[in-house]
Amino acid sequence: MERKQGGPADPRQEGDLPGAAAARALEALLPPLRFAVKDGFAGAPRLAGFGETVRGAVSRARAAGAGDSPALRRLELEAEGFDGLPLAARRKALARIAADLAALIPVPEELRALARAARVEAEARPGGVPPPPVAKASPPVAESAPRASITKPAPRPTREPAPRASTREPAPVAEPAPRAPLPPDPPWHPLPDARTAEERAARRRRLATRLADLPRVHPAPRALLEERGRETVEAALELWPRAYQDRTALRRISELRVGDEATVLGTVAHVRIQRMRSGKPLLKVGVQEGGSALELVFFNPPPWRLKQFAAGESLLCSGKVTEGFGARRQMSQPEVEKVQAGDSANFGRIVPVYPGPADYQHPALRKLMKRLVDELVPAAVDDLPADLRARRELVGRAEALREAHFPPPGTDPLRAAERVTPAFRRLVFEELFFLQLALAMRRRGVRAEAGIAFDASPAALARAVEPLPFRLTGAQERALAEIARDMAEPEPMNRLLQGDVGSGKTAVAFAAMMLAVRSGWQAALMVPTEILAGQHARTLSRWLEGRGVEVALVGASARGKGQREARAAVAEGRARIAVGTHALLEQAVGFERLGLVVVDEQHRFGVMQRASLISKGRRPDVLVMTATPIPRTLALAFYGDLDQSKIGELPPGRTPVTTRLFGDSQRKAAYALARGELEAGRQVYVVYPLVEESEKTDLADATTGATELAKVFPGHEIGLLHGRMKPDEKQRVMDRFRAGELQVLVATTVIEVGVDVPNASVMIVEHAERFGLSQLHQLRGRVGRGAAKSFCLLLAHFRRAGDEARERLRAMEETQDGFEIARVDLRIRGPGELLGTRQSGQKLLDVADLYRDEAILEEAREEAFGLVERDPDLARPEHAAAREALAGRWAGRLSLAQVG
């Protein structure tokens, strides 16, 4: 037959041309065919059910009037058995299908090229092709077989329809035909490192693609990711699995025992739809293998599940074996997949289990993640310098992303879940490295700025501590000497002062403020509560009485003559020290010459709040303080750009506090101990989690508690203090408690920080299980400030306490070491709450764990600070990718780590 040319490479034959309707039916084959052959047949292993698709297209084309041409007959013959072909034979079949299709309709260029390559073979076949070769039979699956032994049945020319629901026993199903081995995973290789900025930008754009813009993405798994804020490919890939299941080995049904978690291969024997008592459907699928039976049970299945199974199909099943009616072995809500050629995301490998989705949603989610890993991850840019990766023996980023989601065979699933595999080591190192790189560059930038050189000579230091009515401890003197050295330098000071509750940080901060004041500058002290601000203002004023230094207390409201005068004194420079809460950040509050900013309890303030206060001066020195000790890893990770000082001893006169834990039923014993202290002339705090009774919870509240405690402690004056009271009301209550007019102070955590009443010897915490370790440690620090033995009594409702709460309470009982408590708190809660950044809505660390990854943090810090020392601006070509990543991918998260 003479060929009619439709272009330079048009192989269509005159007798084969179908009509328009028939051509449209055949055009439905173009999208899956193009997907299968692109990138060297990369999609071929994942082309499921294509033979059935070809048969359907040919049938529709004939129904639309297409003649019985040789090309159409060849297409029909190629479809028979296609879905059972091994990978190599499948590629050849796809080339022949492209040639036959090109003989019938116009096809895209890549299919025309494939057709030209296969045309000689196609035209050599007289009127058709012989049936495609069938792989040799393999022996039955052995126990604990490797992945390659997961097999599929020989292809059937037609599919058996699903049987109707019936209570009758079905006819026995024959054993499946010999099985051909499932092809191994297709080759997967990451692209080489990008050499130009343009190439890196193009690759980054690929991973920044929105899931909604990807073709052929099922809406259900995409919605699962988007609901969690993961709208791009890169964000989706950073949904790390919480666990893994090893599905590389098959078990025989006959060997299963109740309680086993197993993967089996069997043949569907029957499908029954029943009704539960509630009227909802119950689907039971019987599976047989080697004469043994297993029943799959699906409760309230969706409509698609009811149509999923047909007798005679081979099925892979994974789940927990339970005992059903009549001692039958069954799996409830198992994961199932029909055996088909290709690379499965759910069987024959170690599979990920993601946080959040229901069990039945995981197969589709894994399929999507597998596609992202196979098609897009190879282009991932490796932002870590090549010499660093070699020195630290780190795998590439693309390989790490792939293996974090789909670990290679032989990986221990428990180690993968604990994130201690080579893939996770790389990802953890990368996260901590860029965190440290940001801190290293910030530290370099701060030191390059012009700061203030204060007079911090020995004589000036002596004048600064002179107003104190006591002598500093050795630890306080060492910390002050470090601060003074920084303040004497012309570059800005950025220092963190750590010290346990009651260690005397305020006295050290006062001396630093006096260095600034005596050098002609102002100082600002920002604290988290109005009670603490008032206490500090009174204390500083008392120390400075008669010395010509005015202290202004800046309140939260500018109303009243006193507040207007205080703000005016600060703005005009008459007040050399300003003490306040967030009020200091108000735009109306100005300074004449701000030289030193002190932030107390820094974790109670956000990054932007500190920056706002600093901006009110000409790059003042910054001293941040915390009474919540920070574990070394946390300090390195998030305060690595600050110099650090530590006060490691308590002043004379501080006594250890005995901590005791009581259940709700032991309340009387706790009250008896407190009553004994009251009768000895001392005072008691009682702290509640709520101000008033709430309909949403049955937690005890301070208002009700004050009334009830009046009956428990008759003859003792009881006061009530909480955050809803007006500032002057709170001040009156505190003044009365401090003066001894009130013996019992019922309060909320408004007294958590800084309140100092030496005569108070008992702290009772109601619903202690509802408080964090840091809060409990701070509350305990309100007592033990005098010479008398002191007690912290934790009243817990153990029925409501989870494992974490019990662990916190045990830690409080066992140690008074604030640094050990902080380490436990870090492990339980993570860095977000400890740093006061949880409210940001963004996780500080996504994959690293500071409790687990201390050694990796040390390595990452060494590399990052060394890199900045060698190449301060990351200007060298080999550091360009790191510079781009720091300014782009990591910029938002790393802003949380900046300390002012």
Side-chain angles (χ1 to χ4, degrees), residues 402-556:
R402 173 182 171 86
E403 294 185 1
H405 290 280
F406 296 96
T411 301
D412 183 345
L414 291 179
R415 288 182 61 80
E418 292 169 358
R419 300 183 180 178
V420 291
T421 60
F424 276 112
R425 171 176 160 74
R426 155 61 201 242
L427 296 168
V428 167
F429 186 99
E430 179 180 55
E431 184 170 55
L432 294 176
F433 171 80
F434 279 102
L435 177 60
Q436 293 300 303
L437 190 62
L439 293 175
M441 297 194 73
R442 175 172 174 75
R443 179 174 178 138
R444 172 184 168 272
V446 167
R447 292 191 169 186
E449 295 182 57
I452 305 166
F454 298 97
D455 179 8
S457 62
L461 204 53
R463 288 195 300 271
V465 300
E466 185 182 353
L468 293 172
F470 48 81
R471 182 170 183 155
L472 296 180
T473 65
Q476 287 173 311
E477 288 179 343
R478 286 190 294 273
L480 180 57
E482 293 167 352
I483 293 168
R485 280 198 301 271
D486 280 1
M487 294 182 69
E489 297 295 328
E491 61 191 31
M493 175 179 74
N494 253 17
R495 184 168 285 275
L496 171 67
L497 177 60
Q498 292 193 75
D500 214 336
V501 176
S503 61
K505 296 179 301 299
T506 303
V508 174
F510 168 78
M513 289 188 285
M514 290 307 297
L515 288 177
V517 169
R518 295 305 184 192
S519 297
W521 297 82
Q522 290 173 289
L525 172 59
M526 185 165 69
V527 299
T529 68
E530 292 179 352
I531 290 177
L532 185 55
Q535 178 174 293
H536 279 327
R538 284 192 304 275
T539 300
L540 269 55
S541 297
R542 187 173 67 250
W543 290 345
L544 291 169
E545 190 173 357
R547 297 178 183 273
V549 178
E550 182 179 343
V551 178
L553 175 61
V554 179

Side-chain angles (χ1 to χ4, degrees), residues 757-792:
V757 180
N759 191 49
S761 62
V762 178
M763 167 64 69
I764 299 176
V765 183
E766 285 279 358
H767 285 285
E769 78 279 359
R770 301 301 294 261
F771 292 85
L773 265 175
S774 295
Q775 278 186 311
L776 292 174
H777 186 57
Q778 287 280 2
L779 291 170
R780 180 167 60 184
R782 297 313 103 215
V783 295
R785 292 174 171 262
K789 182 176 177 62
S790 296
F791 301 89
C792 179

